[in-house]
Amino acid sequence: MLKINLKQGKFPLFLLPFFPENLEITQGISKELHRLNPEAVALVLPPFIKEKWLSAVKTLPTITTLEINYQDGSLEYLIVSPLCPLAEASRYALEYKKDLFFIDVPCQEEGSFEIDKFLSPYFLPAMGYQTYTQTLISGWGNQGVIPEVRIKERYIANKVAQLAKEGLVAVVLPYAFVLGVLKALENPDNLCFFPQKQQVEINLYRLHPQSIREILSEPGFFHQVYEENRERISEDPSFWIDRVSLWEEVLSKAITKFKDETGSELSPKDLKVLGQFLRNYLLVKGVFLPELFDLIVAARGIGGDEFAFWVWEMATAYELKKEGIAYPEIKLSPEELNLPVKRLRLFRKVKNIRAGLRFLKKFTSREERKTFAQKFSGKTICSFPPEDIVVETFGKKASEKGLKVITENLKKIEPFISSLKDGLDIRETIRNWVFKETIYIKEDPQTSSKIGSLVIIFEEDPDPISGEEKYPWNFTWHGEHHQESDMAFYATDPKEKVIGPGIARAKYGGFMLTYPPKRVYDIWTDPLFSLAENKAERLLLAGIDYSLEKYVLYIAKKPPSSFTKNWAYRQGKKVIFLPIGSFSKNLLEKIRIFHVLEGAHVRKYAHKFIDK
């Protein structure tokens, strides 16, 4: 805000400059208008759009646009949105019955003044609107910026000088006009010429939801949060909507939606990597705060295109509208408005076209799913065979990987004496050649070892920090034939997510596989394993006990405890540990999601509801 005392005016004049559609600037202007309580508000808009402009403002929170068709064939669009400072000033004037003046004059530009936004508007709440504006203006002065006064700025200066004679006026104008208007106000010539009458046709449209996502300077979510808190912003001088908090909320919504849609969950480590990448990315760009594009790029780095899409979806969503708006809808693209565009192509996972022709019935209504959930008792259950194949295949591949670890530990490397045995060990030879000039050979063990049980822990339960139990369903499942293993697992309650008639979805927290089948009692009630501290340790103890082979493979984030190692040692067995991070994250997420069928007869139609 700039307070100007004119020589000829009885009242001071207040300039409220703005950057178009900015969260902090619009909040600042709203607070200043309520604090100043001016008798009139002047907008840098041409008078001939007044009627249509006010109609558009009255339709808020529905976002609309004015299409101005000039006689020379040129076309102009004005977007009326909650974060438009001119729209906010108009709403203030209408709500408090203030005089509203339109003081712009349409004319051919004589040259443009480039704005150097060297101080981010993000600092405005901390500095105050007045201090922020004065800092910008003085900064331009220190840079030697002395623009020539254009016809538009001279007209605005003369107009507001006349208005200041009649009462307290707040002038809402772009920052680009401030220096020219201030210079013109030093010596106003009081010549308020009448602008040439414009032959224009003005149409008012509702903005298409896709256009709302693409052409607004601030994301649609910012507009919605501002609209929902508009009264509090104007009434409470200390309340400000923080941009960083909004970005955090967008990420939180995207993470939740990403988990619901894909079953994948981002770990705290993933979020830490996102923060580090975003910080470095902004340092390279030389900016202080991220834009939506920056956040999407960072999101794609940790969660792929699918997560990046949900960040964009949550950030650009705008759901507010006023009922009974009869204006036609228009779809505008950034190219039509000559807006700067950054393109990022995201490839989401889509179903195969032929698979789509089967018309999967999983797209059921909420009412249907509630009905399915009421009928799902869970008394007689079985698995979905395609998922069994995936789990068994993973068990075999993981066992092969574990056997390689055993082989590497048993491999012998020794200097060459008389026999090459299993060949040269190039790495050891090169490493010692400078000092010993000796050739080293290797001897691979001819082992017939096998993995008897496999235990994989995706998440410990209960949570070691909060103590919360996320996977309450503890179950032991027997293989149906000689090619399947017995399984014990803990998972989410399938009754909470019933997706079809007799079909429920759950998610493993961890499971144990042991072969051959039909040998395992219910490990969750077996007192032999009651010494375990948590569910993960109980699975490992059971895996060791039921293993018919010497080796037990344990896949988890943390190595097994010394207690479980001693348990295995006493039984003449050994636990082989593989970090879960050594496996593909996408593969692990695919394995974690499984379905429970209420009876073998459900297998006949389960594929219509389960998309695999």
Side-chain angles (χ1 to χ4, degrees):
M1 179 194 68
L2 296 175
K3 181 179 179 182
I4 304 171
N5 293 309
L6 300 175
K7 297 178 182 179
Q8 302 174 354
K10 298 180 181 179
F11 301 93
L13 186 67
F14 293 93
L15 300 185
L16 302 178
F18 66 86
F19 294 118
E21 203 179 280
N22 180 272
L23 177 65
E24 291 80 15
I25 293 290
T26 305
Q27 291 183 87
I29 287 178
S30 176
K31 291 179 183 294
E32 288 299 311
L33 287 172
H34 284 82
R35 186 183 67 82
L36 292 172
N37 190 24
E39 297 174 22
V41 176
L43 307 178
V44 180
L45 288 172
F48 57 80
I49 72 164
K50 183 173 183 178
E51 181 182 351
K52 291 287 186 180
W53 174 267
L54 294 181
S55 298
V57 169
K58 291 175 183 178
T59 64
L60 287 169
T62 299
I63 298 179
T64 55
T65 180
L66 271 65
E67 182 188 67
I68 307 174
N69 297 277
Y70 291 97
Q71 193 175 16
D72 60 2
S74 59
L75 196 63
E76 183 180 3
Y77 290 97
L78 293 179
I79 309 298
V80 183
S81 63
L83 282 179
C84 172
L86 294 170
E88 177 56 43
S90 303
R91 296 173 84 178
Y92 167 82
L94 291 173
E95 290 171 6
Y96 292 94
K97 295 180 171 45
K98 305 291 185 180
D99 292 331
L100 191 59
F101 298 97
F102 287 61
I103 59 170
D104 193 14
V105 55
C107 60
Q108 188 174 1
E109 294 292 339
E110 302 170 2
S112 60
F113 168 50
E114 294 293 333
I115 291 294
D116 180 11
K117 200 189 299 185
F118 61 87
L119 185 61
S120 171
Y122 178 72
F123 298 106
L124 187 147
M127 298 176 65
Y129 184 79
Q130 183 173 356
T131 304
Y132 175 81
T133 301
Q134 290 175 343
T135 304
L136 275 184
I137 300 300
S138 60
W140 294 333
N142 294 335
Q143 294 174 6
V145 178
I146 307 176
E148 295 183 5
V149 179
R150 296 169 289 179
I151 296 176
K152 184 186 290 284
E153 293 159 347
R154 188 175 300 280
Y155 175 83
I156 293 172
N158 290 333
K159 194 72 176 176
V160 297
Q162 286 192 357
L163 293 175
K165 297 178 182 179
E166 302 174 5
L168 187 64
V169 180
V171 183
V172 183
L173 76 167
Y175 271 104
F177 293 168
V178 172
L179 292 181
V181 170
L182 289 176
K183 190 173 181 181
L185 284 173
E186 293 176 0
N187 296 296
D189 52 19
N190 297 323
L191 181 60
C192 267
F193 57 88
F194 290 98
Q196 184 178 359
K197 190 174 181 180
Q198 295 286 326
Q199 296 294 330
V200 297
E201 179 185 351
I202 305 176
N203 300 313
L204 183 56
Y205 297 100
R206 286 181 296 114
L207 202 56
H208 190 278
Q210 185 65 28
S211 298
I212 291 176
R213 292 182 180 275
E214 292 181 352
I215 68 175
L216 297 182
S217 299
E218 295 281 25
F221 180 68
F222 285 27
H223 287 263
Q224 180 162 327
V225 172
Y226 175 82
E227 182 66 27
E228 292 170 343
N229 294 274
R230 184 170 169 267
E231 290 186 9
R232 186 180 176 187
I233 290 170
S234 59
E235 294 171 359
D236 186 356
S238 62
F239 175 74
W240 293 82
I241 299 174
D242 181 59
R243 180 180 296 270
V244 174
S245 298
L246 292 187
W247 284 133
E248 291 175 349
E249 192 171 347
V250 166
L251 280 176
S252 177
K253 287 175 175 284
I255 290 169
T256 302
K257 193 67 176 177
F258 177 67
K259 180 181 177 181
D260 292 342
E261 293 295 324
T262 66
S264 301
E265 188 171 1
L266 298 176
S267 66
K269 183 180 179 181
D270 292 329
L271 299 180
K272 183 179 179 181
V273 171
L274 184 145
Q276 292 173 339
F277 174 85
L278 192 59
R279 178 199 63 188
N280 296 337
Y281 185 60
L282 296 180
L283 285 173
V284 171
K285 289 183 63 178
V287 296
F288 181 73
L289 285 171
E291 297 176 349
L292 177 57
F293 182 84
D294 306 326
L295 200 65
I296 292 174
V297 170
R300 188 173 67 168
I302 65 162
D305 288 3
E306 192 73 17
F307 181 52
F309 167 79
W310 286 114
V311 171
W312 176 82
E313 181 80 10
M314 294 296 105
T316 58
Y318 183 81
E319 301 173 353
L320 302 180
K321 61 180 180 179
K322 195 170 185 178
E323 298 298 331
I325 302 300
Y327 298 120
E329 194 171 69
I330 189 172
K331 191 173 184 179
L332 298 173
S333 66
E335 290 80 6
E336 290 178 281
L337 303 179
N338 295 321
L339 297 176
V341 177
K342 292 181 180 178
R343 295 194 176 276
L344 181 66
R345 196 175 295 276
L346 300 177
F347 295 93
R348 297 187 64 201
K349 293 181 180 178
V350 295
K351 301 182 187 68
N352 183 278
I353 295 176
R354 294 186 182 275
L357 296 177
R358 292 189 289 113
F359 298 106
L360 289 178
K361 295 180 179 295
K362 73 171 190 172
F363 300 104
T364 51
S365 65
R366 292 183 180 179
E367 289 72 20
E368 288 177 314
R369 292 196 179 192
K370 288 180 182 178
T371 304
F372 296 152
Q374 291 172 357
K375 296 180 179 179
F376 188 87
S377 64
K379 294 180 180 179
T380 304
I381 60 175
C382 63
S383 60
F384 185 51
E387 293 175 340
D388 296 340
I389 295 173
V390 171
V391 171
E392 293 292 341
T393 303
F394 170 77
K396 292 177 181 178
K397 296 293 183 182
S399 297
E400 292 174 3
K401 195 170 185 177
L403 289 174
K404 287 183 179 179
V405 174
I406 299 172
T407 305
E408 285 294 322
N409 291 336
L410 297 176
K411 185 171 67 174
K412 295 180 180 179
I413 299 174
E414 57 187 30
F416 170 69
I417 300 177
S418 59
S419 173
L420 289 175
K421 295 188 177 180
D422 291 317
L424 295 175
D425 190 294
I426 302 298
R427 182 167 55 184
E428 192 68 18
T429 300
I430 294 175
R431 193 162 64 89
N432 291 278
W433 186 258
V434 175
F435 305 101
K436 300 181 180 179
E437 295 187 357
T438 302
I439 296 175
Y440 282 79
I441 60 172
K442 60 184 177 180
E443 183 179 2
D444 294 326
Q446 302 299 320
T447 178
S448 59
S449 301
K450 295 181 181 179
I451 300 294
S453 297
L454 179 146
V455 179
I456 180 168
I457 305 300
F458 301 101
E459 284 188 68
E460 291 187 11
D461 196 56
D463 187 277
I465 299 176
S466 65
E468 177 188 2
E469 186 181 35
K470 295 175 61 178
Y471 302 93
W473 190 35
N474 307 320
F475 201 73
T476 301
W477 217 322
H478 290 146
E480 296 182 37
H481 48 79
H482 70 280
Q483 293 181 341
E484 287 188 347
S485 306
D486 283 345
M487 172 187 276
F489 61 84
Y490 58 92
T492 57
D493 188 353
K495 294 180 181 179
E496 294 181 356
K497 203 156 191 177
V498 179
I499 65 169
I503 306 170
R505 181 181 294 159
K507 187 175 186 178
Y508 292 120
F511 63 74
M512 180 270 292
L513 297 175
T514 186
Y515 188 85
K518 303 187 186 300
R519 297 180 301 113
V520 179
Y521 293 95
D522 184 12
I523 73 165
W524 303 106
T525 57
D526 193 334
L528 180 63
F529 310 123
S530 59
L531 295 174
E533 291 187 359
N534 52 34
K535 297 178 183 180
E537 195 165 275
R538 182 179 279 263
L539 285 178
L540 182 53
L541 292 180
I544 295 169
D545 191 67
Y546 281 103
S547 176
L548 300 182
E549 304 291 342
K550 178 180 179 180
Y551 295 103
V552 175
L553 182 61
Y554 183 67
I555 303 171
K557 295 178 181 177
K558 298 189 295 185
S561 63
S562 57
F563 168 70
T564 54
K565 290 180 180 179
N566 291 333
W567 175 285
Y569 177 75
R570 289 172 187 171
Q571 298 187 33
K573 298 172 185 176
K574 186 175 182 180
V575 179
I576 305 300
F577 171 68
L578 287 180
I580 197 169
S582 61
F583 293 86
S584 165
K585 188 174 181 179
N586 291 334
L587 174 61
L588 295 176
E589 289 298 333
K590 184 179 180 181
I591 295 170
R592 289 190 71 179
I593 305 298
F594 69 104
H595 295 83
V596 181
L597 312 183
E598 194 165 32
H601 66 282
V602 181
R603 289 175 171 173
K604 296 178 182 179
Y605 60 82
H607 62 280
K608 297 181 180 179
F609 294 84
I610 301 173
D611 184 22
K612 281 291 180 182

